[in-house]
Amino acid sequence: MLRSAATRRVSKHEAAPSFETSAFRALLRMRVVHGCGHRSNTMTDPIKPQSAQDVEAAVQAALADGRTLETVGHGSKRAIGRAAQWDGTLDLSALAGITLYEPAELVLSAKAGTSLAEIEAQVAANNQQLAFEPMDFAPLLGTEPGRGTLGGMLAANLAGPRRIKAGAARDHMLAFSGVSGRGETFKSGGRVVKNVTGYDLSKLMAGSWGTLTVMTDATIKVLPRPEAQESLGLFGHDSVDAGQAMRLAMNSAGESSAAAHIAETAVKRLPIASLATNGRSVTAIRLEGVPPSIAHRRELLRSILRPYGDIATLDEADSQALWRAVRDVTPFAAAATGVDRPVWRISTAPTRGPEVGALLTASLGAEVLYDWAGGLLWALVPASEDAGVASVRKIVAPAGGHATLIRASAAVRAAVDVFDPQNAAIAILTRRVKEGFDPKGILNPGRMYAGV
Amino acid sequence: MSNLKMPEVEQSVLSRRDDIVAALRAIVPGEGVIATEREMKPYESDGLTAYRQIPMVVVLPDTTEQVSRVLRYCYDNGIRVVPRGSGTSLSGGALPLADGVLLGMGKFNRVREIDYENRAAIVEPGVTNLAITKAVEDEGFYYAPDPSSQIACSIGGNIAENSGGVHCLKYGLTTNNVLGCEIVLITGEIVRIGGKHLDAGGYDLLGIITGSEGLLGVVTEVTVRILRKPETARALLVGFPTSEDGGDCVAKIIGAGIIPGGMEMMDAPAIRAAEDFLHCGYPLDVEALLIVELDGPEAECTHLMTRVEAIARGCNASVIKASQSEEERLLFWAGRKAAFPAVGRISPDYYCMDGTIPRAKLPLVLQRMREMSEKHGLRVANVFHAGDGNLHPLILYDANKPGELERAEAFGSDILRLCVEVGGVLTGEHGVGVEKRDLMPAMFNDIDLAQQQRLKCAFDEKGLLNPGKVFPTLHRCAELGRMHVHAGKVAFPDLPRF
Ligand SMILES: Cc1cc2nc3c(=O)[nH]c(=O)nc-3n(C[C@H](O)[C@H](O)[C@@H](O)COP(=O)(O)OP(=O)(O)OC[C@H]3O[C@@H](n4cnc5c(N)ncnc54)[C@H](O)[C@@H]3O)c2cc1C
Ligand SMILES: Cc1cc2nc3c(=O)[nH]c(=O)nc-3n(C[C@H](O)[C@H](O)[C@H](O)COP(=O)(O)OP(=O)(O)OC[C@H]3O[C@@H](n4cnc5c(N)ncnc54)[C@H](O)[C@@H]3O)c2cc1C
């Protein structure tokens, strides 16, 4: 607590000028509006820190008053997740800017509120990419596309189709600094790609949905972008055959970087004309790399997949469009299906995927889109009061894995567990970990689990 | 050993030793409990042999249930526990405690399940790294992380240290290749995390257990990702007149969008030691030697070899040799892989360091290291995972000469501080253990370290699992958990209020 003591002293002796930032003004403004220390359930003006120090001051102030804070990056998708309420909002979008980018060292550091679009454009200009292919939820949620920040991406542990080859955000997060729920600024990790010094707290931040720490800066690993890509398409298979074909491809020397299966109904909603009009389900395998390698692997996969009938090749442009659509689950886009139909995201073992999907269809009438060679299911279910939660949990549990309710109305999200309920041992660990970072439960409390 | 402070011995525990041994025998019968000094001797140190300590007692369980009962007993009785895999740690992570149980996991040596369809293998933690590959190679698969110690080190130890290998630039470290595990907490509770699916539904506990150096729980089962073996692999041997040229070449290869399967560099002393030892055809008139391995389909290797050769030529390479056969490829690697023993031949003892630096700082770091070498009066040879900036300086010394070990350690500390100073880190793959424990403040301040320790507290409130490792100062969890905010009282009276 040395640090807070120091902060206290500064603000006492130098008074307002040292905190002459908009965060400070926002704090003051909120004091005027809501009085001292009163909890308010109405949405207040967000606090918009301009610096990491502002974030620390804001968290300390919230702590002192026992107020909870919701952290948002671009906040474009705030209505998602467990429906909980917070006393104030910490808007990190002004905490933006790439602070270090060394392509040859494969690292990039930026402030947490930096827009993902800016980062992706920067690295693309150097023929690099975020290999884990973070998805854009906008189509699914019917929100403004192209939004999202570095902090939000990491806190959500996003990953797209390349997850099965290149990992998720967790695998590319090298370091961060941030402010814990104790109001203390701390850091973890390093700006080099290989580091085992101390606990790997970055892993814990990835997927913690801002419930442990407000990240102010982060460093990620960036990798070369493949020179070329194309995809192979198989047609008219059911999910069981498709699952087999995808696993066959993944387990061969074909080095595919993605494998997905899209059923007939969903195919019609794909942005690739040749597929959408074909009318049959598509099972797609992506090949990336240098052209001579792709050529070789194309032939290898063609011969392995011969039993599955005709094989089409999607050129670079179609392949890109297809995988963007799979990544962002556009066949289930709000615009296509209506935003009221809930969407579940389920991670399971690839061999179990098709069976889970079939059960979801049988019991809930779900439409299922398979990514990760059958290990990731996006399930679109009919609108209902509980999004079919009981059936989903009952079907996923024996297969192993987890299901998260990604899209649903606020009323539904308030009524059901959005994240997978945890067993007792994990729940206790989760709570203890939370207490270690945020003992007073002021950071995004309840976003993942009640009381966490 | 030189000035290493370990947690003060609990006399109250030591004085109950006979009872404790008897109680442990009741849990793990027969030869599973070792209590004579002579038989415990092999466990007195790990790969960092400069530090030695005979434990209070060695326990070798062979079921998860036994592990659970042993830990519960230790928890109830306030007894410290040090987990151990194969004992190859180079940072003293498995160094025993005089008043502690050394929990050897060597009997957990079965491969439980191989699931090719899901590209996963479930193994016990005592299975060696290489044994996983051996178990799946007939089907054309392998386990990617390949520490040089792979014939000996256990997968449980790999998890604890988040170990890497020469192929981790392309294929990732242990943490990127593990899907799930079963751990036993110090309370005896058995917790399963992950499985054959990807990512955690909640907090990524698997991600923090990996690399936690045996401080959070004892790993009793591991699910790893297995991969299809690349069709071919070819290696290129490239010599440079200066280390700057070598570093430049590495940067340009990556800049060209090529991530080789492996990319290793050696400096002149290391090259000479390896060549004298194995005669693998290394050029002796170069300052830096780079081994670049490209793997994948033949067509890809050939294509990329041509490009890497062109880049190397543009970086003043004085020697370029492409492997023409599998034998030759293995020969190129033989020298690098045997670099430690090779250096062992030219010096009675050597001390292996493990910092990571931003690669661009290599010439500066090598220059400063030469100066330090003069200052400390000890020679140093360097091997370098060039792709990811992980440097292994080998400091040559003679433990029989008074003061040399201390000088070697001081030299090592200087090197690691230098790594941090240039923007790097204290350890790239060997872990903190006891070795780098007291250097942690060079990278982290008190708040950073306290936050890490609070994670430890979430798993092991009493601090019984592997204490004295990783953290330079031990704090009680109660003290770390204290918050200076009290009901009704405001902790920051001078901050602007809402
Ligand atoms: C169960 C659940 C499901 C979700 N599903 C979707 C979804 O389907 N689509 C979607 O778009 N979004 C979803 N989100 C929200 C998530 O916001 C995004 O996907 C995210 O990437 C959007 O980026 P953003 O910058 O707008 O982040 P935000 O929406 O502002 O924030 C995303 C999450 O990260 C946290 N966060 C943001 N910045 C930081 C930071 N600097 N430090 C710590 N934490 C931070 C937030 O508190 C929030 O929990 C979901 C959230 C939850 C809880
Ligand atoms: C010649 C040589 C070369 C090496 N090369 C490399 C290399 O290339 N890359 C690399 O990363 N490392 C390397 N190492 C270091 C070492 O081999 C690794 O750190 C290895 O992972 C240790 O495994 P182990 O089974 O020997 O573990 P041990 O040395 O027995 O233990 C290491 C740590 O793991 C903990 N631990 C062990 N088993 C468990 C368990 N089941 N549950 C919980 N905690 C456990 C111990 O408490 C200790 O903290 C090398 C070592 C040597 C001697």
Side-chain angles (χ1 to χ4, degrees):
Chain A
M1 298 308 291
L2 266 177
R3 206 180 176 95
S4 10
T7 308
R8 181 160 67 231
R9 223 170 299 122
V10 169
S11 57
K12 189 170 179 177
H13 298 305
E14 295 168 33
S18 69
F19 279 94
E20 191 58 277
T21 64
S22 79
F24 177 56
R25 285 195 295 274
L27 289 169
L28 280 181
R29 192 164 62 237
M30 291 169 70
R31 168 166 66 166
V32 173
V33 175
H34 298 292
C36 183
H38 287 291
R39 292 176 72 93
S40 159
N41 285 325
T42 58
M43 264 305 155
T44 53
D45 281 350
I47 307 166
K48 201 164 179 178
Q50 306 290 315
S51 66
Q53 289 87 330
D54 285 353
V55 175
E56 188 183 81
V59 175
Q60 288 184 358
L63 193 57
D65 282 352
R67 296 168 62 89
T68 59
L69 284 178
E70 175 198 18
T71 302
V72 299
H74 282 161
S76 44
K77 306 105 179 174
R78 315 216 323 245
I80 307 187
R82 221 173 150 266
Q85 286 211 305
W86 301 280
D87 300 331
T89 296
L90 201 53
D91 171 353
L92 292 189
S93 60
L95 213 62
I98 295 171
T99 49
L100 174 145
Y101 175 32
E102 291 182 357
E105 308 273 349
L106 305 172
V107 294
L108 178 146
S109 307
K111 296 182 190 171
T114 311
S115 101
L116 203 49
E118 180 190 337
I119 291 174
E120 294 200 301
Q122 266 286 332
V123 301
N126 282 283
N127 276 321
Q128 292 190 328
Q129 64 178 4
L130 309 187
F132 50 100
E133 240 180 337
M135 71 182 295
D136 182 352
F137 280 104
L140 198 59
L141 301 175
T143 52
E144 193 187 331
R147 306 270 296 163
T149 61
L150 175 64
M153 169 190 86
L154 295 172
N157 189 29
L158 295 187
R162 211 182 283 106
R163 171 70 181 93
I164 45 176
K165 180 142 194 259
R170 76 184 283 277
D171 297 288
H172 297 80
M173 182 172 173
L174 301 172
F176 69 93
S177 54
V179 180
S180 71
R182 306 174 58 89
E184 295 172 334
T185 296
F186 72 102
K187 64 180 176 305
S188 169
R191 47 151 291 201
V192 289
V193 296
K194 200 161 168 209
N195 175 21
V196 296
T197 321
Y199 293 137
D200 194 356
L201 297 184
S202 293
K203 294 278 183 304
L204 196 56
M205 294 301 124
S208 67
W209 297 98
T211 58
L212 298 174
T213 291
V214 183
M215 287 180 273
T216 54
D217 297 270
T219 300
I220 55 173
K221 180 174 175 180
V222 290
L223 285 166
R225 204 163 53 163
E227 264 170 48
Q229 69 163 290
E230 64 181 48
S231 292
L232 299 180
L234 311 173
F235 300 96
H237 296 288
D238 62 17
S239 56
V240 173
D241 285 354
Q244 266 165 4
M246 290 191 287
R247 295 196 300 274
L248 210 55
M250 286 312 299
N251 295 357
S252 75
E255 294 184 21
S256 321
S257 68
H261 174 69
I262 305 140
E264 299 89 64
T265 37
V267 158
K268 297 199 191 84
R269 304 184 206 118
L270 282 178
I272 300 114
S274 61
L275 300 180
T277 53
N278 180 305
R280 291 181 295 166
S281 73
V282 176
T283 308
I285 315 284
R286 181 171 61 186
L287 295 170
E288 294 179 303
V290 292
S293 175
I294 292 183
H296 170 84
R297 290 181 285 140
R298 179 201 306 135
E299 294 320 308
L300 178 89
L301 284 170
R302 277 181 170 278
S303 80
I304 290 174
L305 297 172
R306 188 155 297 138
Y308 294 87
D310 290 351
I311 302 176
T313 305
L314 296 180
D315 66 12
E316 176 112 23
D318 277 354
S319 178
Q320 265 172 9
L322 173 68
W323 291 105
R324 175 169 289 266
V326 171
R327 186 193 77 179
D328 297 344
V329 209
T330 57
F332 298 169
T337 68
V339 75
D340 290 339
R341 289 184 64 188
V343 174
W344 288 89
R345 181 181 188 270
I346 298 160
S347 174
T348 187
T351 51
R352 306 303 293 268
E355 135 202 358
V356 167
L359 291 169
L360 289 170
T361 303
S363 70
L364 289 172
E367 255 188 67
V368 181
L369 189 149
Y370 299 86
D371 195 358
W372 300 357
L376 179 69
L377 285 72
W378 292 97
L380 174 74
V381 300
S384 70
E385 277 167 24
D386 63 359
V389 61
S391 305
V392 172
R393 302 273 179 239
K394 212 170 97 195
I395 292 165
V396 175
H402 48 88
T404 310
L405 179 57
I406 291 295
R407 183 175 81 195
S409 68
V412 172
R413 284 181 292 112
V416 309
D417 284 333
V418 165
F419 286 88
D420 234 39
Q422 300 172 305
N423 69 38
I426 300 273
I428 289 171
L429 280 177
T430 298
R431 206 167 48 243
R432 290 215 203 112
V433 169
K434 168 80 172 174
E435 276 165 17
F437 285 83
D438 180 22
K440 298 290 165 187
I442 62 164
L443 300 182
N444 278 358
R447 176 126 209 182
M448 296 181 77
Y449 307 101
V452 167
Chain B
M1 180 51 232
S2 58
N3 311 330
L4 178 73
K5 278 218 177 54
M6 292 304 281
E8 206 164 312
V9 171
E10 290 282 355
Q11 290 304 337
S12 61
V13 168
L14 267 190
S15 63
R16 284 183 290 142
R17 182 171 185 270
D18 291 348
D19 295 345
I20 292 169
V21 169
L24 291 169
R25 282 198 204 284
I27 301 172
V28 183
E31 295 171 348
V33 174
I34 299 174
T36 66
E37 180 152 349
R38 187 180 54 80
E39 287 175 302
M40 289 196 288
K41 188 92 177 140
Y43 298 93
E44 70 177 353
S45 82
D46 57 20
L48 186 67
T49 50
Y51 299 81
R52 290 167 201 276
Q53 173 63 56
I54 300 275
M56 174 171 70
V57 53
V58 174
V59 180
L60 308 173
D62 66 0
T63 66
T64 298
E65 204 227 323
Q66 287 176 355
V67 172
S68 165
R69 288 176 62 203
V70 167
L71 292 183
R72 180 76 213 184
Y73 171 78
C74 291
Y75 177 78
D76 288 340
N77 290 278
I79 302 165
R80 293 164 173 155
V81 179
V82 177
R84 177 184 168 107
S86 304
T88 66
S89 166
L90 291 174
S91 54
L95 178 70
L97 293 167
D99 57 354
V101 169
L102 186 83
L103 193 68
M105 298 301 288
K107 290 189 175 174
F108 278 77
N109 58 6
R110 283 155 293 229
V111 173
R112 289 189 178 162
E113 185 192 335
I114 300 172
D115 179 349
Y116 293 108
E117 278 217 278
N118 287 312
R119 298 187 300 151
I122 303 181
V123 301
E124 295 181 351
V127 170
T128 63
N129 173 293
L130 189 62
I132 301 178
T133 291
K134 291 275 176 225
V136 299
E137 69 184 358
D138 286 349
E139 296 287 327
F141 283 78
Y142 76 119
Y143 173 63
D146 58 341
S148 310
S149 51
Q150 68 182 151
I151 45 167
C153 65
S154 73
I155 188 70
N158 290 177
I159 301 253
E161 303 286 10
N162 188 15
S163 302
V166 296
H167 289 98
C168 67
L169 178 66
K170 182 167 175 185
Y171 297 101
L173 300 155
T174 303
T175 191
N176 313 109
N177 289 277
V178 177
L179 295 168
C181 67
E182 176 189 79
I183 61 165
V184 184
L185 304 180
I186 186 72
T187 53
E189 180 137 34
I190 300 165
V191 185
R192 297 195 70 89
I193 297 166
K196 292 176 186 171
H197 60 277
L198 292 170
D199 296 329
Y203 291 157
D204 187 356
L205 300 177
L206 184 61
I208 44 172
I209 284 157
T210 311
S212 65
E213 305 200 16
L215 270 71
L216 299 184
V218 175
V219 177
T220 47
E221 186 188 278
V222 186
T223 305
V224 297
R225 166 69 79 222
I226 50 174
L227 297 177
R228 168 67 63 176
K229 232 175 139 68
E231 281 181 351
T232 44
R234 291 185 67 196
L236 204 62
L237 206 58
V238 193
F240 298 94
T242 67
S243 61
E244 280 85 346
D245 290 330
D248 192 33
C249 183
V250 172
K252 290 208 165 109
I253 291 170
I254 289 175
I258 301 167
I259 300 290
M263 185 148 56
E264 296 289 308
M265 203 154 125
M266 298 162 77
D267 71 357
I271 301 166
R272 176 166 292 279
E275 181 59 22
D276 287 351
F277 183 29
L278 286 179
H279 313 292
C280 30
Y282 291 173
L284 294 175
D285 53 352
V286 297
E287 280 301 311
L289 184 70
L290 196 61
I291 306 175
V292 185
E293 177 160 297
L294 296 153
D295 60 7
E298 177 87 50
E300 177 174 333
C301 293
T302 310
H303 175 83
L304 293 180
M305 291 281 271
T306 316
R307 285 175 55 186
V308 171
E309 274 191 52
I311 293 169
R313 234 171 270 119
C315 296
N316 303 325
S318 50
V319 182
I320 301 182
K321 256 201 269 185
S323 67
Q324 299 302 328
S325 64
E326 185 63 6
E327 291 72 51
E328 194 173 13
R329 182 183 75 88
L330 294 174
L331 189 64
F332 286 179
W333 277 113
R336 164 61 186 89
K337 294 216 165 173
F340 292 9
V343 165
R345 283 174 73 243
I346 60 170
S347 169
D349 298 283
Y350 67 90
Y351 181 30
C352 172
M353 309 307 297
D354 170 48
T356 304
I357 55 170
R359 205 179 336 86
K361 306 287 186 189
L362 181 64
L364 170 74
V365 168
L366 290 179
Q367 175 52 36
R368 293 272 298 276
M369 229 186 271
R370 278 190 286 270
E371 291 161 22
M372 290 176 188
S373 168
E374 280 188 18
K375 175 183 141 199
H376 293 282
L378 295 172
R379 290 177 299 162
V380 62
N382 274 288
V383 296
F384 188 43
H385 299 304
D388 45 35
N390 187 197
L391 196 62
H392 291 316
L394 303 169
I395 300 170
L396 314 188
Y397 72 100
D398 182 349
N400 288 328
K401 290 201 185 133
E404 279 218 352
L405 171 60
E406 286 71 17
R407 264 166 37 220
E409 288 188 324
F411 187 178
S413 298
D414 282 353
I415 291 175
L416 294 183
R417 277 195 209 94
L418 172 64
C419 290
V420 175
E421 185 190 315
V422 301
V425 300
L426 291 172
T427 170
E429 59 180 12
H430 293 169
V432 176
V434 292
E435 186 205 21
K436 285 150 243 161
R437 185 191 74 184
D438 297 336
L439 288 172
M440 287 289 268
M443 229 176 111
F444 299 115
N445 67 24
D446 289 349
I447 297 178
D448 304 335
L449 289 171
Q451 197 52 56
Q452 295 198 26
Q453 279 177 276
R454 287 190 193 99
L455 183 65
K456 159 86 170 159
C457 293
F459 285 79
D460 174 22
E461 208 183 350
K462 294 191 188 176
L464 294 173
L465 259 181
N466 220 359
K469 315 291 168 69
V470 183
F471 299 110
T473 16
L474 285 180
H475 294 289
R476 287 180 185 284
C477 288
E479 176 196 325
L480 286 165
R482 210 162 284 149
M483 278 281 289
H484 302 272
V485 180
H486 302 289
K489 278 201 207 138
V490 164
F492 312 98
D494 304 321
L495 269 182
R497 303 260 68 80
F498 287 100

